[in-house]
Amino acid sequence: MSAIYLLRRFSSKPFSRFHRNIFFSTFSKESSPPDLSRTTRTIFTQRSVSSSIWFFPQSKISPNRREFSTSVETNPTVKSFEKIHVQSGVIVERIHKNEEEEEETVSRVNVERKALREESEAEKEAWRILENAIVRYCGSPVGTVAANDPGDKTPLNYDQVFIRDFVPSALAFLLKGEGEIVRNFLLHTLQLQSWEKTVDCYSPGQGLMPASFKVRTVALDENTTEEVLDPDFGESAIGRVAPVDSGLWWIILLRAYGKITGDFSLQERIDVQTGIKLIMNLCLADGFDMFPTLLVTDGSCMIDRRMGIHGHPLEIQSLFYSALRCSREMLSVNDSSKNLVRAINNRLSALSFHIREYYWVDIKKINEIYRYKTEEYSTDATNKFNIYPEQIPPWLMDWIPEQGGYLLGNLQPAHMDFRFFSLGNFWSIVSSLGTPKQNEAILNLMEAKWDDIIGNMPLKICYPALEYDDWRIITGSDPKNTPWSYHNSGSWPTLLWQFTLACMKMGRPELAEKALALAEKRLMADRWPEYYDTRSGKFIGKQSRLYQTWTVAGFLTSKLLLANPEMASLLFWEEDYELLDICACGLRKSDRKKCSRVAAKTQILVR
């Protein structure tokens, strides 16, 4: 009996139609299979149906390739798995057992469906737009512009490369086998991290990543010019807000690059390790806050205008949690980093408990809040944040389904933001910030409230919109964030890829396929808008840029994830049971009170 082995194609050039058929090299039982940790990676391509196989050696895989589990210290008594994922449908799974002989199994995953799948006209146009959006620096690709609308005479900052905007573009390139642009992006933005950042004679802490950058050509003399990267750390942004999410997205993308390409050498570089540490130190710095969540100002993430999300918005907390887990996987543990790793572990434990326990709302929790007593002064208080029952909005009572729930948009003393924020809830599923039951309930709510959150175009950035006095007071009468427009419950197609990833993790890809099919009917005809307006997402946004790059990239990434579920599995996290046993509060040794985590353990456990 023979075993079939296939190595993943990795190239800096896109797949052509002539390279879609895959050859398999077979090895007899007597001959040993190649040791993938030591041998040269090889590409198998087809020149014609009758032609022979051509071999193109690539860079060698490091013999010290690490196993990135969610645990800092691996247990030698537990099985570990190393999967080599293949884009065209074959997975080679190597199982390592306690120094026993390695067993290798090969499974075929819908080879015919993937190899023969034809791209739609929308996909072909999307790829053309994405490739035309590529920005080059000194001849090398370093990112994609935010929008590339030829009819836009005043692009403002849409001609820049944004870190958060580039993430879906990066994933599309990686899933297609093109890693060079992502590697360049990660390294060049890392260099910008160390630049001096000053606004009105004040400089923020080390580790801050820019919101965006632009390649500019400057004259050195009359005959010589030079290309430079011009970053924006928020000093030019509307409202002068620092981009808190940029560093978190950078860490998440760094992990995704290693997982998909198998190139972990980038993570191991000293400058990259230093960059991770600077971001983590900035996020974990001590302050006055009593909660494990990050305290941020309005406009510090995708919602970059005044929308009442200052405090502890879910979007930032879910990205923070993901970045913590990524950092724990990628940091080399040594004397200089062990204290940081310990702090990361402690914060992960506290943050997961806090979000699961206090941010979760379903019909049972709403009824509990409805009966809250206020002004409780006690360590045993039920209403810990002094939430007034009158804060429960009337729309919520009838809106929330019996079998669904979601994570609050924000929580701080005497304030709960009951709006549903899509990105924060989707990323909570992807990162396992919520429990499996909570994650399932979020998708149940999505399905039950499909017309509200999906409508004619996926997906609402939040629901519902701020209207009337709420809009005037909270947004400051922002003419761009009018009700059911832009960040005020507009529909953003770029959120498709995050919804797709969440659905695939929970084993419900049919929901993502349904939303993607809905978007595909309109996006190409509408010229790939940035966002849509109205309660159901029927109209193109009144100030929406066309040919928006992350709209294009979100669509393509969703397509690629659904076509490659084994690749999608590299991008999400499973439940980390070790976090349930970690408690860093120190209250167990105190006579004042036992840790509330112990009392709530039964609610936090998975099943």
Side-chain angles (χ1 to χ4, degrees), residues 436-489:
K437 283 185 177 180
Q438 291 172 347
N439 295 340
E440 190 66 40
I442 293 171
L443 292 187
N444 288 341
L445 179 137
M446 288 290 300
E447 190 172 25
K449 298 300 174 181
W450 187 269
D451 291 341
D452 292 332
I453 303 175
I454 303 293
N456 290 302
M457 175 57 67
L459 287 128
K460 288 293 182 191
I461 191 171
C462 64
Y463 182 89
L466 297 172
E467 298 181 287
Y468 310 113
D469 287 342
D470 286 340
W471 170 72
R472 283 188 286 272
I473 294 170
I474 294 176
T475 74
S477 300
D478 186 347
K480 194 168 184 178
N481 272 333
T482 53
W484 309 104
S485 180
Y486 201 52
H487 295 144
N488 192 8
S489 201

Short mmCIF file of all heavy atoms in Angstrom, two decimals, residues 436-489:
data_model
loop_
_atom_site.label_atom_id
_atom_site.label_comp_id
_atom_site.label_asym_id
_atom_site.label_seq_id
_atom_site.Cartn_x
_atom_site.Cartn_y
_atom_site.Cartn_z
N PRO A 436 -18.18 28.02 24.41
CA PRO A 436 -18.84 27.40 23.25
C PRO A 436 -20.36 27.61 23.25
O PRO A 436 -20.95 27.83 22.19
CB PRO A 436 -18.47 25.92 23.40
CG PRO A 436 -17.14 25.95 24.06
CD PRO A 436 -17.21 27.10 25.03
N LYS A 437 -20.99 27.57 24.41
CA LYS A 437 -22.43 27.79 24.47
C LYS A 437 -22.77 29.23 24.07
O LYS A 437 -23.75 29.48 23.36
CB LYS A 437 -22.96 27.50 25.88
CG LYS A 437 -23.10 26.02 26.19
CD LYS A 437 -23.74 25.82 27.56
CE LYS A 437 -23.96 24.33 27.85
NZ LYS A 437 -24.59 24.13 29.17
N GLN A 438 -21.98 30.17 24.56
CA GLN A 438 -22.21 31.56 24.19
C GLN A 438 -21.97 31.78 22.71
O GLN A 438 -22.75 32.48 22.03
CB GLN A 438 -21.30 32.48 25.03
CG GLN A 438 -21.69 32.53 26.50
CD GLN A 438 -20.67 33.28 27.34
OE1 GLN A 438 -19.56 33.58 26.89
NE2 GLN A 438 -21.03 33.60 28.58
N ASN A 439 -20.91 31.19 22.18
CA ASN A 439 -20.61 31.33 20.76
C ASN A 439 -21.74 30.79 19.90
O ASN A 439 -22.11 31.39 18.88
CB ASN A 439 -19.30 30.61 20.42
CG ASN A 439 -18.10 31.24 21.11
OD1 ASN A 439 -18.15 32.39 21.54
ND2 ASN A 439 -17.03 30.48 21.23
N GLU A 440 -22.28 29.66 20.29
CA GLU A 440 -23.39 29.06 19.55
C GLU A 440 -24.62 29.96 19.63
O GLU A 440 -25.35 30.14 18.65
CB GLU A 440 -23.71 27.67 20.11
CG GLU A 440 -24.69 26.86 19.27
CD GLU A 440 -24.12 26.48 17.92
OE1 GLU A 440 -22.93 26.13 17.84
OE2 GLU A 440 -24.88 26.55 16.93
N ALA A 441 -24.85 30.55 20.79
CA ALA A 441 -26.00 31.43 20.97
C ALA A 441 -25.88 32.70 20.12
O ALA A 441 -26.89 33.23 19.64
CB ALA A 441 -26.16 31.79 22.45
N ILE A 442 -24.66 33.20 19.93
CA ILE A 442 -24.47 34.38 19.08
C ILE A 442 -24.90 34.08 17.65
O ILE A 442 -25.60 34.87 17.01
CB ILE A 442 -23.00 34.85 19.13
CG1 ILE A 442 -22.65 35.39 20.52
CG2 ILE A 442 -22.75 35.93 18.07
CD1 ILE A 442 -21.17 35.68 20.72
N LEU A 443 -24.51 32.91 17.14
CA LEU A 443 -24.93 32.54 15.79
C LEU A 443 -26.42 32.24 15.73
O LEU A 443 -27.07 32.50 14.70
CB LEU A 443 -24.12 31.34 15.29
CG LEU A 443 -22.62 31.59 15.03
CD1 LEU A 443 -21.98 30.37 14.40
CD2 LEU A 443 -22.42 32.81 14.14
N ASN A 444 -26.98 31.73 16.81
CA ASN A 444 -28.44 31.55 16.86
C ASN A 444 -29.15 32.89 16.73
O ASN A 444 -30.16 33.00 16.04
CB ASN A 444 -28.85 30.86 18.16
CG ASN A 444 -28.45 29.40 18.21
OD1 ASN A 444 -28.19 28.78 17.17
ND2 ASN A 444 -28.39 28.83 19.40
N LEU A 445 -28.60 33.89 17.41
CA LEU A 445 -29.19 35.23 17.32
C LEU A 445 -29.04 35.77 15.90
O LEU A 445 -29.97 36.39 15.36
CB LEU A 445 -28.52 36.17 18.32
CG LEU A 445 -29.02 37.62 18.31
CD1 LEU A 445 -29.18 38.13 19.73
CD2 LEU A 445 -28.06 38.55 17.55
N MET A 446 -27.88 35.56 15.29
CA MET A 446 -27.68 36.01 13.91
C MET A 446 -28.71 35.40 12.98
O MET A 446 -29.28 36.09 12.11
CB MET A 446 -26.27 35.63 13.45
CG MET A 446 -25.15 36.43 14.07
SD MET A 446 -25.12 38.15 13.52
CE MET A 446 -24.90 37.94 11.76
N GLU A 447 -28.98 34.13 13.15
CA GLU A 447 -29.93 33.44 12.29
C GLU A 447 -31.36 33.93 12.56
O GLU A 447 -32.13 34.14 11.63
CB GLU A 447 -29.84 31.93 12.52
CG GLU A 447 -30.61 31.10 11.52
CD GLU A 447 -30.33 29.62 11.66
OE1 GLU A 447 -29.92 29.19 12.76
OE2 GLU A 447 -30.51 28.89 10.67
N ALA A 448 -31.70 34.12 13.84
CA ALA A 448 -33.06 34.56 14.19
C ALA A 448 -33.31 36.00 13.76
O ALA A 448 -34.44 36.36 13.41
CB ALA A 448 -33.27 34.41 15.69
N LYS A 449 -32.27 36.83 13.78
CA LYS A 449 -32.42 38.25 13.44
C LYS A 449 -31.72 38.59 12.13
O LYS A 449 -31.14 39.67 11.96
CB LYS A 449 -31.87 39.12 14.59
CG LYS A 449 -32.61 38.92 15.90
CD LYS A 449 -34.08 39.27 15.75
CE LYS A 449 -34.88 38.97 16.99
NZ LYS A 449 -36.32 39.30 16.81
N TRP A 450 -31.81 37.65 11.20
CA TRP A 450 -31.14 37.78 9.91
C TRP A 450 -31.54 39.08 9.18
O TRP A 450 -30.69 39.80 8.66
CB TRP A 450 -31.47 36.57 9.05
CG TRP A 450 -30.70 36.47 7.77
CD1 TRP A 450 -31.07 36.97 6.55
CD2 TRP A 450 -29.43 35.85 7.58
NE1 TRP A 450 -30.11 36.68 5.61
CE2 TRP A 450 -29.10 35.99 6.21
CE3 TRP A 450 -28.54 35.17 8.42
CZ2 TRP A 450 -27.91 35.48 5.67
CZ3 TRP A 450 -27.36 34.67 7.89
CH2 TRP A 450 -27.06 34.83 6.54
N ASP A 451 -32.80 39.38 9.14
CA ASP A 451 -33.27 40.56 8.42
C ASP A 451 -32.75 41.85 9.04
O ASP A 451 -32.57 42.85 8.33
CB ASP A 451 -34.80 40.59 8.39
CG ASP A 451 -35.39 39.48 7.51
OD1 ASP A 451 -34.64 38.94 6.67
OD2 ASP A 451 -36.58 39.16 7.69
N ASP A 452 -32.49 41.85 10.34
CA ASP A 452 -32.00 43.05 11.01
C ASP A 452 -30.50 43.25 10.81
O ASP A 452 -30.04 44.38 10.59
CB ASP A 452 -32.31 42.99 12.51
CG ASP A 452 -33.81 43.10 12.79
OD1 ASP A 452 -34.51 43.72 11.99
OD2 ASP A 452 -34.25 42.54 13.82
N ILE A 453 -29.73 42.17 10.91
CA ILE A 453 -28.27 42.29 10.90
C ILE A 453 -27.69 42.07 9.50
O ILE A 453 -26.67 42.66 9.14
CB ILE A 453 -27.64 41.30 11.91
CG1 ILE A 453 -28.21 41.58 13.31
CG2 ILE A 453 -26.12 41.42 11.94
CD1 ILE A 453 -27.77 40.60 14.36
N ILE A 454 -28.35 41.25 8.71
CA ILE A 454 -27.89 40.98 7.34
C ILE A 454 -28.70 41.81 6.34
O ILE A 454 -28.14 42.59 5.57
CB ILE A 454 -28.01 39.49 6.99
CG1 ILE A 454 -27.22 38.64 8.00
CG2 ILE A 454 -27.52 39.24 5.57
CD1 ILE A 454 -25.73 38.80 7.95
N GLY A 455 -30.00 41.64 6.34
CA GLY A 455 -30.86 42.42 5.45
C GLY A 455 -30.54 42.18 3.99
O GLY A 455 -30.33 41.05 3.54
N ASN A 456 -30.47 43.28 3.23
CA ASN A 456 -30.16 43.20 1.80
C ASN A 456 -28.67 43.15 1.52
O ASN A 456 -28.26 42.85 0.40
CB ASN A 456 -30.77 44.39 1.06
CG ASN A 456 -32.28 44.30 1.00
OD1 ASN A 456 -32.84 43.34 0.48
ND2 ASN A 456 -32.95 45.30 1.55
N MET A 457 -27.86 43.50 2.52
CA MET A 457 -26.40 43.47 2.33
C MET A 457 -25.73 43.24 3.68
O MET A 457 -25.94 44.00 4.62
CB MET A 457 -25.93 44.80 1.74
CG MET A 457 -24.42 44.93 1.63
SD MET A 457 -23.63 43.62 0.65
CE MET A 457 -24.26 43.98 -0.99
N PRO A 458 -24.94 42.19 3.81
CA PRO A 458 -24.22 41.95 5.07
C PRO A 458 -23.05 42.93 5.19
O PRO A 458 -22.45 43.30 4.17
CB PRO A 458 -23.73 40.52 4.91
CG PRO A 458 -23.69 40.27 3.42
CD PRO A 458 -24.76 41.13 2.82
N LEU A 459 -22.71 43.33 6.41
CA LEU A 459 -23.34 43.06 7.69
C LEU A 459 -23.42 44.36 8.44
O LEU A 459 -22.55 45.23 8.28
CB LEU A 459 -22.50 42.09 8.51
CG LEU A 459 -22.43 40.62 8.14
CD1 LEU A 459 -21.00 40.18 8.03
CD2 LEU A 459 -23.12 39.84 9.23
N LYS A 460 -24.42 44.50 9.31
CA LYS A 460 -24.51 45.69 10.13
C LYS A 460 -23.29 45.78 11.06
O LYS A 460 -22.94 44.81 11.74
CB LYS A 460 -25.77 45.65 11.00
CG LYS A 460 -27.07 45.86 10.24
CD LYS A 460 -27.16 47.26 9.70
CE LYS A 460 -28.47 47.50 8.97
NZ LYS A 460 -28.43 48.78 8.21
N ILE A 461 -22.66 46.95 11.08
CA ILE A 461 -21.53 47.13 11.98
C ILE A 461 -21.99 47.13 13.43
O ILE A 461 -21.27 46.67 14.32
CB ILE A 461 -20.75 48.41 11.62
CG1 ILE A 461 -19.42 48.47 12.37
CG2 ILE A 461 -21.59 49.65 11.89
CD1 ILE A 461 -18.52 49.59 11.90
N CYS A 462 -23.21 47.63 13.65
CA CYS A 462 -23.84 47.54 14.97
C CYS A 462 -25.35 47.61 14.77
O CYS A 462 -25.83 47.98 13.70
CB CYS A 462 -23.36 48.64 15.91
SG CYS A 462 -23.80 50.32 15.38
N TYR A 463 -26.08 47.23 15.80
CA TYR A 463 -27.54 47.27 15.73
C TYR A 463 -28.08 47.54 17.14
O TYR A 463 -27.61 46.94 18.10
CB TYR A 463 -28.10 45.95 15.20
CG TYR A 463 -29.61 45.96 15.08
CD1 TYR A 463 -30.20 46.39 13.91
CD2 TYR A 463 -30.42 45.60 16.15
CE1 TYR A 463 -31.60 46.43 13.80
CE2 TYR A 463 -31.80 45.65 16.05
CZ TYR A 463 -32.38 46.06 14.87
OH TYR A 463 -33.75 46.12 14.77
N PRO A 464 -29.09 48.42 17.27
CA PRO A 464 -29.68 49.27 16.24
C PRO A 464 -28.94 50.59 16.11
O PRO A 464 -27.92 50.81 16.78
CB PRO A 464 -31.10 49.48 16.78
CG PRO A 464 -30.91 49.51 18.27
CD PRO A 464 -29.81 48.52 18.56
N ALA A 465 -29.47 51.49 15.28
CA ALA A 465 -28.86 52.81 15.10
C ALA A 465 -29.23 53.74 16.24
O ALA A 465 -30.26 53.58 16.90
CB ALA A 465 -29.32 53.41 13.77
N LEU A 466 -28.37 54.72 16.48
CA LEU A 466 -28.69 55.82 17.40
C LEU A 466 -29.56 56.81 16.66
O LEU A 466 -29.18 57.29 15.57
CB LEU A 466 -27.41 56.51 17.88
CG LEU A 466 -26.43 55.66 18.69
CD1 LEU A 466 -25.14 56.43 18.91
CD2 LEU A 466 -27.03 55.22 20.02
N GLU A 467 -30.71 57.14 17.22
CA GLU A 467 -31.65 58.02 16.55
C GLU A 467 -32.07 59.17 17.48
O GLU A 467 -31.89 59.10 18.69
CB GLU A 467 -32.88 57.25 16.09
CG GLU A 467 -32.59 56.15 15.08
CD GLU A 467 -33.85 55.42 14.63
OE1 GLU A 467 -34.40 54.64 15.45
OE2 GLU A 467 -34.27 55.62 13.48
N TYR A 468 -32.60 60.21 16.85
CA TYR A 468 -33.21 61.33 17.57
C TYR A 468 -32.23 61.94 18.59
O TYR A 468 -31.11 62.29 18.25
CB TYR A 468 -34.52 60.90 18.22
CG TYR A 468 -35.44 60.18 17.25
CD1 TYR A 468 -35.75 58.83 17.41
CD2 TYR A 468 -35.98 60.86 16.15
CE1 TYR A 468 -36.57 58.17 16.51
CE2 TYR A 468 -36.80 60.20 15.24
CZ TYR A 468 -37.09 58.87 15.43
OH TYR A 468 -37.89 58.22 14.52
N ASP A 469 -32.65 62.06 19.85
CA ASP A 469 -31.79 62.69 20.85
C ASP A 469 -30.50 61.89 21.09
O ASP A 469 -29.46 62.48 21.36
CB ASP A 469 -32.55 62.86 22.17
CG ASP A 469 -33.59 63.96 22.11
OD1 ASP A 469 -33.50 64.81 21.18
OD2 ASP A 469 -34.50 63.98 22.96
N ASP A 470 -30.60 60.58 21.04
CA ASP A 470 -29.39 59.76 21.23
C ASP A 470 -28.36 60.11 20.17
O ASP A 470 -27.16 60.22 20.47
CB ASP A 470 -29.74 58.27 21.15
CG ASP A 470 -30.45 57.77 22.39
OD1 ASP A 470 -30.34 58.44 23.44
OD2 ASP A 470 -31.12 56.73 22.32
N TRP A 471 -28.80 60.25 18.93
CA TRP A 471 -27.87 60.59 17.85
C TRP A 471 -27.27 61.98 18.08
O TRP A 471 -26.06 62.18 17.93
CB TRP A 471 -28.60 60.55 16.50
CG TRP A 471 -27.80 61.12 15.38
CD1 TRP A 471 -26.70 60.57 14.77
CD2 TRP A 471 -28.00 62.39 14.74
NE1 TRP A 471 -26.21 61.40 13.80
CE2 TRP A 471 -27.00 62.52 13.75
CE3 TRP A 471 -28.94 63.40 14.90
CZ2 TRP A 471 -26.91 63.65 12.93
CZ3 TRP A 471 -28.85 64.53 14.08
CH2 TRP A 471 -27.85 64.64 13.11
N ARG A 472 -28.10 62.94 18.45
CA ARG A 472 -27.61 64.30 18.64
C ARG A 472 -26.63 64.40 19.81
O ARG A 472 -25.60 65.07 19.72
CB ARG A 472 -28.79 65.26 18.86
CG ARG A 472 -29.54 65.61 17.59
CD ARG A 472 -30.58 66.70 17.82
NE ARG A 472 -31.74 66.18 18.55
CZ ARG A 472 -32.80 65.63 17.95
NH1 ARG A 472 -32.83 65.53 16.63
NH2 ARG A 472 -33.81 65.17 18.66
N ILE A 473 -26.92 63.70 20.90
CA ILE A 473 -26.09 63.82 22.11
C ILE A 473 -24.82 62.96 21.99
O ILE A 473 -23.72 63.43 22.27
CB ILE A 473 -26.90 63.40 23.35
CG1 ILE A 473 -28.04 64.39 23.59
CG2 ILE A 473 -26.00 63.32 24.58
CD1 ILE A 473 -29.04 63.94 24.63
N ILE A 474 -24.97 61.71 21.56
CA ILE A 474 -23.85 60.78 21.58
C ILE A 474 -22.87 61.02 20.43
O ILE A 474 -21.66 60.98 20.62
CB ILE A 474 -24.36 59.32 21.57
CG1 ILE A 474 -25.12 59.03 22.87
CG2 ILE A 474 -23.20 58.33 21.40
CD1 ILE A 474 -25.76 57.67 22.92
N THR A 475 -23.37 61.29 19.22
CA THR A 475 -22.47 61.52 18.09
C THR A 475 -22.12 62.98 17.91
O THR A 475 -21.25 63.31 17.09
CB THR A 475 -23.09 61.01 16.77
OG1 THR A 475 -24.13 61.89 16.34
CG2 THR A 475 -23.65 59.61 16.92
N GLY A 476 -22.81 63.88 18.63
CA GLY A 476 -22.59 65.30 18.42
C GLY A 476 -23.22 65.79 17.13
O GLY A 476 -22.71 66.71 16.49
N SER A 477 -24.30 65.12 16.71
CA SER A 477 -24.99 65.44 15.45
C SER A 477 -24.07 65.25 14.24
O SER A 477 -24.05 66.05 13.30
CB SER A 477 -25.52 66.88 15.46
OG SER A 477 -26.44 67.07 16.52
N ASP A 478 -23.31 64.17 14.26
CA ASP A 478 -22.36 63.85 13.18
C ASP A 478 -23.12 63.65 11.87
O ASP A 478 -23.93 62.73 11.74
CB ASP A 478 -21.59 62.58 13.55
CG ASP A 478 -20.47 62.26 12.56
OD1 ASP A 478 -20.45 62.86 11.47
OD2 ASP A 478 -19.64 61.40 12.90
N PRO A 479 -22.88 64.48 10.85
CA PRO A 479 -23.61 64.33 9.58
C PRO A 479 -23.25 63.08 8.79
O PRO A 479 -24.00 62.67 7.91
CB PRO A 479 -23.23 65.60 8.81
CG PRO A 479 -21.90 66.00 9.37
CD PRO A 479 -21.93 65.61 10.82
N LYS A 480 -22.12 62.47 9.11
CA LYS A 480 -21.73 61.23 8.42
C LYS A 480 -22.33 60.01 9.11
O LYS A 480 -22.61 59.00 8.47
CB LYS A 480 -20.21 61.11 8.35
CG LYS A 480 -19.73 60.05 7.37
CD LYS A 480 -18.24 60.14 7.11
CE LYS A 480 -17.81 59.13 6.04
NZ LYS A 480 -16.37 59.23 5.73
N ASN A 481 -22.52 60.11 10.42
CA ASN A 481 -23.07 59.00 11.19
C ASN A 481 -24.55 59.21 11.50
O ASN A 481 -25.00 59.02 12.62
CB ASN A 481 -22.29 58.81 12.50
CG ASN A 481 -21.08 57.90 12.32
OD1 ASN A 481 -21.08 57.03 11.44
ND2 ASN A 481 -20.07 58.09 13.14
N THR A 482 -25.30 59.62 10.50
CA THR A 482 -26.74 59.72 10.67
C THR A 482 -27.33 58.33 10.85
O THR A 482 -26.68 57.33 10.53
CB THR A 482 -27.38 60.41 9.45
OG1 THR A 482 -26.96 59.73 8.26
CG2 THR A 482 -26.99 61.87 9.38
N PRO A 483 -28.54 58.20 11.39
CA PRO A 483 -29.10 56.88 11.66
C PRO A 483 -29.10 55.96 10.43
O PRO A 483 -29.45 56.37 9.33
CB PRO A 483 -30.53 57.19 12.11
CG PRO A 483 -30.42 58.56 12.73
CD PRO A 483 -29.42 59.28 11.89
N TRP A 484 -28.66 54.73 10.63
CA TRP A 484 -28.59 53.67 9.62
C TRP A 484 -27.61 53.99 8.51
O TRP A 484 -27.79 53.57 7.37
CB TRP A 484 -29.99 53.36 9.06
CG TRP A 484 -31.00 53.13 10.13
CD1 TRP A 484 -31.98 53.98 10.54
CD2 TRP A 484 -31.09 51.98 10.98
NE1 TRP A 484 -32.70 53.43 11.57
CE2 TRP A 484 -32.18 52.19 11.86
CE3 TRP A 484 -30.39 50.76 11.07
CZ2 TRP A 484 -32.56 51.27 12.83
CZ3 TRP A 484 -30.77 49.84 12.02
CH2 TRP A 484 -31.84 50.09 12.89
N SER A 485 -26.55 54.73 8.85
CA SER A 485 -25.52 55.07 7.88
C SER A 485 -24.15 54.98 8.52
O SER A 485 -23.98 55.24 9.71
CB SER A 485 -25.74 56.49 7.34
OG SER A 485 -24.74 56.84 6.40
N TYR A 486 -23.17 54.62 7.72
CA TYR A 486 -21.75 54.57 8.10
C TYR A 486 -21.58 53.76 9.40
O TYR A 486 -22.02 52.61 9.45
CB TYR A 486 -21.20 55.99 8.22
CG TYR A 486 -19.69 56.07 8.13
CD1 TYR A 486 -19.02 55.48 7.07
CD2 TYR A 486 -18.93 56.75 9.08
CE1 TYR A 486 -17.63 55.55 6.97
CE2 TYR A 486 -17.55 56.84 8.98
CZ TYR A 486 -16.90 56.24 7.93
OH TYR A 486 -15.55 56.32 7.84
N HIS A 487 -20.96 54.33 10.42
CA HIS A 487 -20.76 53.57 11.66
C HIS A 487 -22.01 53.46 12.51
O HIS A 487 -22.05 52.67 13.45
CB HIS A 487 -19.65 54.22 12.50
CG HIS A 487 -18.30 54.18 11.85
ND1 HIS A 487 -17.40 55.20 11.96
CD2 HIS A 487 -17.71 53.23 11.08
CE1 HIS A 487 -16.30 54.91 11.29
NE2 HIS A 487 -16.47 53.72 10.75
N ASN A 488 -23.02 54.25 12.20
CA ASN A 488 -24.26 54.24 12.97
C ASN A 488 -25.23 53.24 12.34
O ASN A 488 -26.28 53.61 11.81
CB ASN A 488 -24.86 55.64 13.03
CG ASN A 488 -25.99 55.74 14.04
OD1 ASN A 488 -26.24 54.82 14.82
ND2 ASN A 488 -26.67 56.88 14.04
N SER A 489 -24.84 51.97 12.40
CA SER A 489 -25.64 50.86 11.89
C SER A 489 -25.70 50.81 10.37
O SER A 489 -26.71 50.40 9.79
CB SER A 489 -27.06 50.87 12.47
OG SER A 489 -27.65 49.59 12.36
#
